[in-house]
Amino acid sequence: MEVARLLHDQGEIAKTSTLIAQGASRRDIAESVSDGTVSRVMRGWICTPRADAEQILAVRSGGRLGCISALARWGLWSADDRSPHVSMPRRGRGSRVFQEEGVRDDAVMHPRAAQLSEIRPRLQRPVRFHWAAQPAAKSELDWIVSPGDAVRQAVLCQNLEHAVACVDSAVHTGVLTADEWGDIAARLPSTRRDCVALVDSRADSGLESRIRVRLIRLGHTVDVQVPVPGFGKLDILVDGRVGLELDGDRFHTPAKQRQRDTEKVLTSMLFGLPVLRSGYAQAINDWELVYDALKRMLQLTERRAA
């Protein structure tokens, strides 16, 4: 039995009991450790050389990756927080001891991730532990919580913008069904009612979700993914008369996509719908400028309509 292959299917790290249940023998595991194909993380756990630092931190802490750390491994929106988030059982030990030497600095995605992402383990800040008040839902992998648990933890942990974006992303991609989200929402405390009311799985990116929430809280009427004949959809329509296009890629957008986005803006103008375009850095780090420009466009279109 090829132990490394079994581990790959489990996300590069697993309990030895899980591998044995999958058909490996204790001798197979011992031989794989002996020849260096895999290594022991701690008693009862082994991993391949591809296992990353955050996975090992969670396991050595006695827990599993949870909250936004888990969502990132599904290729979902996972906020800007750079702390590792670890879900712990009620009687877990919560050790923060971790040796980074010899482990990878690129993150392992969940084998069934909605989309592959180039992410790094979250090790830039102290660990944030999520202590379980009740037994966690059954998870298919040993080192990460279920998507439902991750979303529930994120809603309780993150601010409103990020919480809504996490839920939008999970439901939009199908990692979480609408019914599954409904079950989670029904059990949330009343302090999270705003998040439940603002979730809209049509949102195509975490940035879109955040800005939509921001605009609604500022008193605007907001629609998302509004069709532009012949050129797809506008990210956001504000007060029914100004479009807002958001470039969610923080680093680059392919030239062909940039050309299509420009054509979409020009086509929208032909239909009498002015469009404001903003990149990620502008929308997040220079929001006042973006919003002032949006308000000015709204003023101009209001005068025209009058």
Side-chain angles (χ1 to χ4, degrees):
M1 177 64 67
E2 188 179 353
V3 174
R5 170 52 59 182
L6 285 178
L7 276 171
H8 177 72
D9 294 340
Q10 294 293 316
E12 312 299 342
I13 187 169
K15 296 177 180 178
T16 53
S17 58
T18 297
L19 300 178
I20 291 171
Q22 293 288 325
S25 67
R26 294 189 181 278
R27 180 175 179 178
D28 292 330
I29 294 171
E31 289 178 349
S32 295
V33 171
S34 180
D35 65 23
T37 306
V38 304
S39 58
R40 296 193 186 277
V41 178
M42 57 183 291
R43 181 180 177 85
W45 285 83
I46 61 173
C47 69
T48 73
R50 291 189 57 81
D52 67 69
E54 198 178 12
Q55 288 178 300
I56 294 173
L57 169 63
V59 167
R60 287 180 175 168
S61 296
R64 294 181 288 174
L65 289 186
C67 193
I68 58 175
S69 288
L71 294 178
R73 304 312 178 98
W74 281 94
L76 305 176
W77 178 260
S78 54
D80 294 332
D81 183 1
R82 298 307 303 165
S83 297
H85 286 244
V86 178
S87 180
M88 299 292 295
R90 294 184 66 180
R91 298 183 180 180
R93 57 185 177 277
S95 172
R96 297 172 185 264
V97 177
F98 176 67
Q99 296 178 346
E100 295 188 41
E101 183 179 356
V103 297
R104 298 175 66 91
D105 63 357
D106 55 335
V108 173
M109 301 298 291
H110 191 285
R112 295 196 298 107
Q115 55 189 8
L116 298 180
S117 303
E118 294 181 3
I119 60 172
R120 292 184 177 276
R122 298 170 184 263
L123 295 173
Q124 298 177 14
R125 296 180 184 175
V127 182
R128 296 190 65 176
F129 292 114
H130 294 261
W131 297 94
Q134 56 189 10
K138 180 175 175 57
S139 177
E140 61 179 321
L141 301 179
D142 295 332
W143 55 275
I144 187 171
V145 301
S146 68
D149 274 351
V151 166
R152 178 182 55 80
Q153 290 168 351
V155 169
L156 296 174
C157 171
Q158 299 296 302
N159 66 34
L160 183 61
E161 282 185 15
H162 282 300
V164 172
C166 287
V167 181
D168 283 356
S169 181
V171 181
H172 178 78
T173 57
V175 169
L176 204 66
T177 68
D179 286 343
E180 288 171 333
W181 162 239
D183 289 342
I184 294 169
R187 297 194 300 271
L188 289 172
S190 60
T191 53
R192 294 300 185 270
R193 285 175 183 165
D194 285 353
C195 176
V196 175
L198 287 167
V199 166
D200 188 334
S201 62
R202 295 177 299 162
D204 197 39
S205 71
L207 177 61
E208 184 181 311
S209 294
R210 291 183 65 185
I211 299 305
R212 175 176 57 82
V213 169
R214 196 172 295 183
L215 289 169
I216 290 172
R217 297 182 79 190
L218 286 167
H220 295 281
T221 300
V222 181
D223 197 7
V224 299
Q225 296 300 303
V226 179
V228 176
F231 281 95
K233 299 177 180 179
L234 283 175
D235 290 338
I236 291 176
L237 180 63
V238 185
D239 293 344
R241 60 181 190 272
V242 175
L244 179 58
E245 279 285 284
L246 299 166
D247 184 359
D249 189 335
R250 304 186 194 191
F251 305 106
H252 67 276
T253 302
K256 182 178 292 187
Q257 182 63 47
R258 288 199 301 271
Q259 179 180 350
R260 183 166 181 81
D261 289 341
T262 300
E263 291 174 343
K264 180 166 60 174
V265 170
L266 293 173
T267 303
S268 297
M269 292 293 291
L270 289 176
F271 282 90
L273 179 63
V275 176
L276 178 67
R277 187 168 190 84
S278 172
Y280 182 95
Q282 292 167 317
I284 297 303
N285 302 324
D286 202 2
W287 169 246
E288 288 187 2
L289 174 62
V290 174
Y291 187 51
D292 284 344
L294 175 62
K295 287 190 294 183
R296 180 58 176 159
M297 292 181 74
L298 288 169
Q299 290 170 355
L300 291 172
T301 54
E302 184 177 37
R303 291 174 185 172
R304 184 184 64 188

